[in-house]
Amino acid sequence: MSKIEVNEIVPQSGTTLTLGGSGDTLSIASGVTSSFPSLTVSGDLTVDTNTLYVDSTNNRVFIGTTSTNLGVDAVSTGYYFRDGGQFRAARDQSQSIIANRLNSDGAILDLRKDGETIGQLAAQSGGMVINVGSSASEAMRIDSSGNVMIGKTSLDTGVAGFQTYATGAIVSTRASDVCIIAKRLNNDGSNIETFRDGSRTGYIGSNSGSIYIANGSSTAHKGLRFTGTQLKPCTYTGANDDGNYDLGSSTTRFKDAYLSGNLYIGGTGSANALDDYETGTWTPIFIPQSNSFSSITYDYEVRGFYTKIGKLVVAQCFLMTDSISVGSASGYVSIGGLPFTVKIEDNQVDTGGGGIGFSSTFGGDVPSSYYPQRSTTNAFLLYRSSANGDVDLLNVSDLGTGLNSNRLRLSIIYRAD
């Protein structure tokens, strides 16, 4: 081994000092202080084995390692600068890179493409901000509590953007457009499932192009599916489920139901259709067959009520007069003012008819029954001349003309158009 001891080696001005030849190694012992204004090494450079290694052939620099698999395998740690600008860092069970900005908030790491900024990692109020674009506009913020904000800088449900809380809540706010899209590909099924602790409580999904909402109970998967103009009961998969679910219960009822069409009870045919239910008031009056009464005054207690179920009408009334001036009125007398026109059946048979509950204080024969007159809002009044006699039409001349006359209490039952 060669050895040389000198205080100083100074090359001639303007020349290059070369130590050793090709294949030689120059080592400087530990503890020796070396000072070079500039140092050019034409081959590889090794400092303390793995402290620093420069691979001159491949233009690579290694710190703490000589492995090119740094960051790829699970063994090597250190820093690796590769030709072309690639940098790798690996550290066992600790941070491999620390970037520390002092004294103020702002960008800590600047990411560029072809010299132009495409994003930044920045510090803001104890949290972290991700900026994007050449103008480094803020896109996402994570505050010091772990809450995440996208498109907004504060936790405010009234500001457009997306926010998630460290406690698990999610808020999406958007102006004049859809806030959440849940898209399932390839087959029908649930798009969203809800849970209470570990138990599934519900589904929102799609079936045959329509949305459904279903209960997640393991014993009764009841649901509703919205299909075109229909709302159908369904299973938790959205499949039709006929006749198995109740609407409300004996102790939990809906208040009002507003329908513009039919209500089918006990079946699905036209015979099961209830198309109308109505209640109201009407004013009963006496109507002569010909001409009009000169005058007629009704008692203040005159009143009428009706119930219409489908085409069936039940019209109840109390009728009484305090004075009548018959004048030119003649012929039979009817009760008029029925709330609906009497229906003509296909065989031209008049519908309805029945007995009178109470009648008194008439001037002649007393009516005992009635029957509705088709295609009118009137009902003929009938009397029986003897217990076993035929019925006949009550005449105008049978009406009493004094106070509290012509008392009638009856329910007129008929079919309406």
Side-chain angles (χ1 to χ4, degrees):
M1 181 179 71
S2 302
K3 180 178 181 183
I4 182 173
E5 294 183 5
V6 296
N7 292 329
E8 185 177 28
I9 301 177
V10 180
Q12 185 177 354
S13 178
T15 64
T16 298
L17 175 63
T18 300
L19 300 177
S22 177
D24 294 338
T25 299
L26 176 63
S27 299
I28 300 176
S30 175
V32 176
T33 301
S34 304
S35 177
F36 301 97
S38 63
L39 177 64
T40 300
V41 180
S42 60
D44 297 343
L45 174 64
T46 300
V47 177
D48 193 20
T49 308
N50 285 343
T51 299
L52 174 65
Y53 171 64
V54 179
D55 179 357
S56 61
T57 302
N58 297 301
N59 296 322
R60 298 171 179 175
V61 177
F62 301 82
I63 299 176
T65 184
T66 59
S67 173
T68 59
N69 290 326
L70 185 65
V72 177
D73 61 28
V75 177
S76 303
T77 61
Y79 301 93
Y80 169 31
F81 298 86
R82 182 175 177 172
D83 58 317
Q86 187 183 79
F87 167 69
R88 297 181 184 181
R91 188 177 182 187
D92 187 23
Q93 301 184 29
S94 189
Q95 305 96 324
S96 57
I97 298 176
I98 297 176
N100 186 20
R101 179 186 176 111
L102 300 176
N103 301 322
S104 64
D105 288 340
I108 296 177
L109 179 63
D110 192 271
L111 306 175
R112 301 193 176 196
K113 171 67 170 65
D114 297 329
E116 183 175 330
T117 297
I118 60 170
Q120 291 178 336
L121 294 180
Q124 183 66 47
S125 303
M128 185 177 73
V129 171
I130 297 178
N131 301 324
V132 297
S134 58
S135 61
S137 300
E138 181 174 329
M140 184 174 78
R141 174 179 298 211
I142 304 175
D143 66 19
S144 57
S145 298
N147 304 310
V148 179
M149 291 147 277
I150 299 176
K152 58 173 65 179
T153 59
S154 63
L155 295 172
D156 188 344
T157 58
V159 176
F162 183 84
Q163 62 193 57
T164 63
Y165 292 85
T167 54
I170 298 175
V171 177
S172 176
T173 306
R174 191 178 183 187
S176 306
D177 213 334
V178 179
C179 291
I180 298 175
I181 298 175
K183 187 172 185 179
R184 179 185 179 117
L185 299 176
N186 301 326
N187 64 348
D188 289 338
S190 59
N191 293 59
I192 298 174
E193 297 184 3
T194 61
F195 287 78
R196 168 64 166 86
D197 295 329
S199 300
R200 183 182 288 104
T201 58
Y203 303 84
I204 300 176
S206 58
N207 184 292
S208 301
S210 58
I211 187 174
Y212 70 88
I213 302 173
N215 175 27
S217 168
S218 59
T219 57
H221 295 290
K222 298 179 176 66
L224 293 174
R225 183 158 67 98
F226 303 83
T227 61
T229 59
Q230 297 177 326
L231 178 62
K232 298 180 179 180
C234 69
T235 67
Y236 74 98
T237 63
N240 292 337
D241 197 349
D242 183 44
N244 292 317
Y245 305 154
D246 296 332
L247 184 62
S249 68
S250 61
T251 57
T252 309
R253 301 168 295 166
F254 288 90
K255 182 177 181 292
D256 296 322
Y258 296 88
L259 304 176
S260 62
N262 296 341
L263 178 64
Y264 290 84
I265 302 175
T268 59
S270 59
N272 303 103
L274 176 61
D275 60 356
D276 184 30
Y277 180 88
E278 183 180 335
T279 61
T281 61
W282 65 289
T283 302
I285 59 175
F286 287 119
I287 297 178
Q289 179 185 6
S290 300
N291 301 321
S292 301
F293 297 111
S294 293
S295 66
I296 184 167
T297 301
Y298 294 96
D299 190 86
Y300 74 93
E301 291 189 35
V302 170
R303 57 192 178 273
F305 304 93
Y306 73 86
T307 300
K308 184 174 184 288
I309 304 173
K311 295 185 180 299
L312 181 66
V313 180
V314 178
Q316 300 169 301
C317 72
F318 172 74
L319 185 56
M320 182 169 64
T321 61
D322 286 338
S323 70
I324 296 179
S325 177
V326 175
S328 61
S330 62
Y332 56 79
V333 65
S334 303
I335 292 179
L338 291 173
F340 302 94
T341 300
V342 178
K343 178 179 176 61
I344 302 176
E345 296 294 351
D346 293 338
N347 59 4
Q348 300 294 305
V349 175
D350 295 325
T351 62
I356 294 176
F358 174 84
S359 61
S360 70
T361 62
F362 280 77
D365 292 315
V366 178
S368 59
S369 60
Y370 71 89
Y371 75 85
Q373 183 180 359
R374 59 187 171 188
S375 300
T376 71
T377 56
N378 305 330
F380 295 119
L381 289 174
L382 307 174
Y383 75 94
R384 191 181 297 273
S385 58
S386 65
N388 297 319
D390 292 334
V391 295
D392 201 353
L393 295 172
L394 191 74
N395 197 279
V396 170
S397 61
D398 291 319
L399 294 174
T401 58
L403 183 67
N404 296 331
S405 297
N406 310 306
R407 294 185 181 184
L408 284 176
R409 294 181 186 273
L410 73 161
S411 295
I412 302 174
I413 302 173
Y414 67 99
R415 286 174 61 83
D417 282 332

